[in-house]
Amino acid sequence: MAYVEHTPTTIVHDDEHTYGAIMARRVVLYLLDVLEILLAFRFFLRLLAANAASPFVMFIYRVTEPFVFPFRGIFPQISERGSVLEWAVLLAMIVYAIVAWGIVRLIWLLSAHEEPVATESGVEHREDVYHDEDTMV
């Protein structure tokens, strides 16, 4: 009988995703969080009739205006005694959350096809392996 010596190999699984894809998803979600917080500040500052001459309020309005502008005029603003209910801000928050979810999902779908496999020289990625959540490959 012949004796065969095998060198140990390591298979690295990154939850079916590459490190770059995970980081890209985190960046998209972080940017969404920052935008949502800024838009929430704007919504409540307008709702509570904050002093528009305040430097902080001016900063929030200037930074968020480009993100709210595409949604202006869809629904009427409701105002009373300086307080403004800005429907455009709420719509922007919803739309940007949906867009970010779509981008994160696309990143996940594109990266889910890479399967790390062990070789004698190290770990390589196979792109011909498809992983579905319901099936075992």
Side-chain angles (χ1 to χ4, degrees):
M1 234 190 245
Y3 175 73
V4 178
E5 185 176 320
H6 292 283
T7 58
T9 57
T10 305
I11 299 177
V12 178
H13 292 281
D14 234 356
D15 191 31
E16 295 185 4
H17 301 288
T18 62
Y19 178 75
I22 292 170
M23 291 308 295
R25 289 179 7 202
R26 286 180 181 171
V27 167
V28 169
L29 292 175
Y30 176 77
L31 292 174
L32 173 67
D33 288 345
V34 169
L35 180 60
E36 294 283 326
I37 289 168
L38 290 171
L39 289 172
F41 269 119
R42 179 190 179 102
F43 179 78
F44 286 110
L45 289 171
R46 295 287 308 253
L47 188 64
L48 300 173
N51 180 7
S54 166
F56 177 73
V57 175
M58 286 182 359
F59 169 76
I60 295 294
Y61 289 170
R62 271 193 222 124
V63 168
T64 56
E65 183 58 32
F67 298 101
V68 176
F69 179 76
F71 304 99
R72 289 209 180 285
I74 296 175
F75 300 110
Q77 290 186 6
I78 301 171
S79 61
E80 185 176 322
R81 289 183 271 165
S83 179
V84 178
L85 177 61
E86 236 182 339
W87 289 106
V89 174
L90 294 177
L91 183 59
M93 292 174 77
I94 293 168
V95 169
Y96 291 128
I98 292 170
V99 168
W101 176 84
I103 292 169
V104 166
R105 181 72 177 154
L106 180 64
I107 292 169
W108 183 86
L109 288 172
L110 293 175
S111 66
H113 297 289
E114 295 185 7
E115 171 70 14
V117 294
T119 65
E120 293 300 320
S121 61
V123 176
E124 294 179 2
H125 290 280
R126 286 183 52 195
E127 295 183 18
D128 62 332
V129 178
Y130 176 76
H131 287 278
D132 189 20
E133 296 172 47
D134 300 327
T135 61
M136 294 285 284
V137 176

